[in-house]
Amino acid sequence: MNKLNQIMLLLLLAIISVHCKEKSKEVVESVEQEQTAKPNIVIIYTDDLGYGDVGFNGATEIKTPNMDYLANNGVRFTNGFASSATCTPSRYALLTGVYPWREKNAKILPGTAPLIIGADQMTVPKMLRAKGYHTGIVGKWHLGLGSGHVNWNAHVSPGPNEVGFDYSYIMAATQDRVPTVYIENGDVVGLDPNDPIEINYKTNFEGQPNGIDNPELLKMKWHHGHNSSIVNGIPRIGYMKGGEAAKWKDEDMADHFLKGAQNYVKQHKNEPFFLYYAMQQPHVPRTPHPRFVGASGLGPRGDVIVEADWCIGEFINTLKEEGLLENTLIIFSSDNGPVLNDGYYDEAVEKLGDHTPGGSLRGGKYSLFEAGTRVPFFTYWKGTINSGVSDALVCQLDLLSSLAQLVGSDVKAGDSQGLVDVFLGKSNAGRDDLVIEATSRTAYKEGDWVMIPPYKGPAKIDDVNIEIGNSKEFQLYNLKEDIGQQNNLAESNKEKLQDMLAKFEAIRGDDYNTTQKIELK
C-alpha cells in the first residue's frame, strides 16, 4: 500500500470513528431522553395521617426525619388536599380522577363490598400501562373486590389487576376489618384449603368468640364499633371463620408491606414502573412492631407514625441502592385527616400531650372543616424538582391528568386537572376551586375561601370527638385570615356567599343537601 493510500485509509477510519461516536452519543442521549420521559413513579399513601402529624408541617412532639427530608428537598404543598375526609372515597378519586360523590358506592366499604371502579373506567395504572409502565400496588386497597359474593377460597376477581395493576399485594379493606389476610394477584396468601375462609358482616359463626362476649381474649380493648371477631387478640369489624394459616400478624404488617414494596422495585428496576405503596399507618388498630413501641412517647398512634417514617426511609434507601432515585418521581400524601380514638382504647388521647395532629386546622377525619381533607402532601424527584414550598391549591384528584401530561398521554379525566408543572415545582398556578367531601356531604373551596352548606345532624361525632361541619346555617370562612375557621362570615358577606353557592351548585347540582346518616369508620 503506497503512502497516499495509507493516508486515505487513515482519513476514512477517522471519519468512521467520528461518525460512530456521534451516533453513540445520539443513542445515549435518546436513552436519557426516554428515561426522562418515563421516570419511575411512586405514590406513597398514608392512612389517617394529619396535616400536623409531620415535622415538615410544624410537628415538634413527634419525629419524622425521612418524610421531612423528602418534603424539604422537594415541593411541599401547604394547600394540598385529599378529595374526601374518609378513606374509600379518597382512594377512588386518586386512582380515577373522578370526584367520589359522583359514584354512589364510593363510601366507607366493608371487606365484602364489590369492586366500585368499573372495568372500563380509566385509572392511573391503566393510563401508565398504556405508556409502557409496569404497574403495581402494595398495601391497603379498600375499593371493593369481586362482584358482591366473594369466595375467598378461590381466585378473587375483579380487583386491582382488572383495573390496571399488573401486580397486586393487598389487604382487602382495612386492618380493623375482616378478612384479615393478604391477597396476591387475586389469591389469598398461605390459605390452607382444608381450613376455608367464611366471612359475614351481620351474623357471627356458631362457636366463634367475639369482642363483646369474650373480653378475656383481648389484648386491645374496643371503644366503639370494633367488637366482632377476634384476631390476634384484637376485636374487628365483621365476623370471620377459618383461614388460620393465612391470617396476618398485625405487628409485622409494616415490615411486610415494606418488603413487598422493596421487592417490587428490585424486580422491575430495568423497566419504567409505577408503584402505589399504600401504607396502613396510622389507622387503627395501631400495632407497632416491638422495635417501635415507646418510640414516640405518644402511645401506639405516635409509635406507628415513627414506624411509617422509618419504612419510608428504608424504601428510599432501596431506590438509592438500585440506582433509581434520580429517575423516580415520589408523590406523598394521606387519604384524609387525623383521628385519635377511632374505635380502640390505645392511649392516643391520654398521651397526646402538646402534639396537634391537625396542626392549626379545625376538625379531622369525617369532617368538612379543613383538617378533614387538607393533608400532608409533597413531591420529590432528586435532581429534577427543586426544593420549595407551594401554596397552590392541588388535590390527589389531579394526579391522573397530571401524570398523563408527564408521560405524554392524552388521557384526561373529567374532574382531574393537568397540573404537572405545579407538581414539578415549575408553576404556582394550581386549581381555582375544589369540591371536598365528607361522609356524603360536600363543601366548596375557591382561593382562600371555603363555603360549607347547612346540613342536618350532630355538629360533632362524640365517639371520636371531632367537629364534622354540620350546622343549620351556611358557613363561610376566609382561610387566609382565619385558618382555624372560627369566624363565620356568611351573614356579613352575603355577596361572596351567594357567588360561591352558585359556583358550587354549577358543579355539584342543587341536590347536595340530601344528607345521609353519618357512618363511622
Side-chain angles (χ1 to χ4, degrees):
M1 184 180 294
N2 60 38
K3 193 169 184 178
L4 179 60
N5 286 339
Q6 288 179 337
I7 293 171
M8 293 296 292
L9 180 60
L10 289 171
L11 286 172
L12 179 60
L13 290 172
I15 292 170
I16 291 172
S17 176
V18 170
H19 179 73
C20 288
K21 287 180 180 178
E22 289 177 348
K23 282 294 182 183
S24 177
K25 184 179 179 182
E26 289 176 5
V27 170
V28 171
E29 289 176 348
S30 176
V31 170
E32 289 177 347
Q33 289 171 358
E34 179 71 10
Q35 289 178 334
T36 302
K38 289 185 178 180
N40 304 313
I41 300 168
V42 176
I43 295 176
I44 301 176
Y45 210 44
T46 52
D47 196 349
D48 295 355
L49 188 71
Y51 186 88
D53 276 325
V54 290
F56 63 83
N57 280 343
T60 57
E61 303 302 305
I62 192 168
K63 306 302 179 186
T64 55
N66 294 299
M67 297 185 213
D68 297 349
Y69 177 84
L70 296 174
N72 293 329
N73 287 277
V75 179
R76 177 170 66 87
F77 293 96
T78 63
N79 212 15
F81 284 80
S83 68
S84 175
T86 54
C87 45
T88 294
S90 290
R91 292 162 199 272
Y92 176 85
L94 182 149
L95 290 178
T96 67
V98 175
Y99 276 127
W101 46 264
R102 297 192 191 277
E103 168 52 62
K104 63 181 177 63
N105 293 316
K107 51 189 176 182
I108 305 166
L109 298 178
T112 52
L115 178 67
I116 63 171
I117 298 177
D120 59 346
Q121 196 166 355
M122 182 52 64
T123 63
V124 171
K126 193 177 290 186
M127 178 276 293
L128 290 172
R129 189 162 66 179
K131 298 301 292 185
Y133 279 74
H134 194 280
T135 58
I137 172 176
V138 174
K140 176 179 173 177
W141 178 238
H142 209 190
L143 288 164
L145 293 169
S147 55
H149 301 282
V150 173
N151 177 3
W152 302 98
N153 309 292
H155 184 72
V156 179
S157 177
N161 299 83
E162 284 70 42
V163 296
F165 287 104
D166 295 309
Y167 175 76
S168 65
Y169 195 101
I170 62 168
M171 59 173 162
T174 55
Q175 194 178 345
D176 57 347
R177 281 178 169 80
V178 298
T180 53
V181 296
Y182 299 116
I183 303 168
E184 184 173 29
N185 292 327
D187 298 314
V188 173
V189 178
L191 179 64
D192 180 354
N194 296 315
D195 184 26
I197 294 172
E198 297 180 66
I199 302 293
N200 192 312
Y201 266 73
K202 293 182 179 179
T203 307
N204 196 9
F205 300 97
E206 185 176 354
Q208 295 296 304
N210 63 78
I212 295 177
D213 299 329
N214 304 96
E216 74 281 0
L217 299 179
L218 304 181
K219 67 180 181 183
M220 184 180 292
K221 185 180 177 182
W222 61 278
H223 179 270
H224 62 272
H226 299 77
N227 52 28
S228 301
S229 284
I230 303 169
V231 180
N232 300 330
I234 302 172
R236 315 283 169 152
I237 298 174
Y239 299 100
M240 178 175 178
K241 180 181 179 181
E244 291 299 323
K247 289 179 179 178
W248 64 53
K249 183 178 178 181
D250 294 83
E251 290 80 3
D252 291 339
M253 183 175 285
D255 286 347
H256 196 77
F257 283 146
L258 169 62
K259 184 178 179 181
Q262 291 171 317
N263 287 342
Y264 179 83
V265 165
K266 293 174 182 177
Q267 291 167 9
H268 300 284
K269 63 183 179 181
N270 294 322
E271 60 184 324
F273 64 78
F274 164 62
L275 174 61
Y276 176 33
Y277 180 15
M279 309 179 81
Q280 89 280 7
Q281 303 106 319
H283 195 283
V284 296
R286 293 143 186 163
T287 54
H289 189 276
R291 300 192 311 273
F292 296 96
V293 172
S296 68
L298 301 180
R301 184 177 186 274
D303 294 346
V304 297
I305 293 174
V306 172
E307 179 183 58
D309 184 77
W310 176 84
C311 289
I312 291 169
E314 291 299 297
F315 179 74
I316 297 302
N317 286 339
T318 298
L319 293 177
K320 289 179 182 176
E321 292 164 1
E322 300 299 333
L324 299 171
L325 194 58
E326 289 78 5
N327 193 41
T328 301
L329 168 63
I330 297 169
I331 302 163
F332 175 91
S333 196
S334 175
D335 62 349
N336 49 250
V339 57
L340 295 177
N341 180 347
D342 207 19
Y344 297 98
Y345 289 99
D346 64 0
E347 301 182 301
V349 176
E350 292 82 358
K351 291 190 174 181
L352 185 63
D354 294 329
H355 181 59
T356 52
S360 57
L361 308 178
R362 186 177 181 183
K365 186 177 181 179
Y366 312 113
S367 178
L368 285 172
F369 289 126
E370 285 295 284
T373 49
R374 189 187 294 228
V375 290
F377 205 139
F378 66 75
T379 55
Y380 174 89
W381 185 353
K382 185 178 180 181
T384 297
I385 291 180
N386 295 321
S387 62
V389 179
S390 175
D391 297 328
L393 176 60
V394 296
C395 182
Q396 296 159 12
L397 185 74
D398 301 319
L399 292 179
L400 177 49
S401 293
S402 300
L403 292 175
Q405 288 179 322
L406 179 68
V407 301
S409 169
D410 59 2
V411 166
K412 294 180 181 179
D415 300 309
S416 178
Q417 296 186 13
L419 303 175
V420 66
D421 285 344
V422 179
F423 287 119
L424 295 182
K426 298 177 180 179
S427 169
N428 203 42
R431 281 179 159 267
D432 293 327
D433 59 4
L434 176 68
V435 176
I436 57 172
E437 187 264 352
T439 58
S440 302
R441 300 160 299 130
T442 47
Y444 181 68
K445 301 179 63 66
E446 182 186 44
D448 294 323
W449 294 84
V450 61
M451 183 276 299
I452 304 175
Y455 290 106
K456 296 178 181 179
K460 183 175 76 171
I461 302 176
D462 289 332
D463 281 339
V464 296
N465 193 30
I466 291 175
E467 294 180 290
I468 58 172
N470 288 344
S471 172
K472 296 179 181 179
E473 310 296 332
F474 277 97
Q475 297 175 74
L476 179 69
Y477 300 100
N478 183 326
L479 300 174
K480 186 175 183 179
E481 300 173 355
D482 178 27
I483 192 64
Q485 295 177 282
Q486 298 300 309
N487 185 19
N488 183 6
L489 303 176
E491 280 295 319
S492 61
N493 199 337
K494 292 185 178 180
E495 184 176 347
K496 182 64 177 179
L497 174 63
Q498 290 302 319
D499 177 64
M500 292 192 70
L501 180 60
K503 292 175 179 176
F504 170 63
E505 291 185 347
I507 300 170
R508 182 68 177 88
D510 59 6
D511 60 346
Y512 59 86
N513 208 358
T514 54
T515 307
Q516 298 181 15
K517 180 182 177 182
I518 294 171
E519 179 188 4
L520 286 183
K521 288 303 303 140

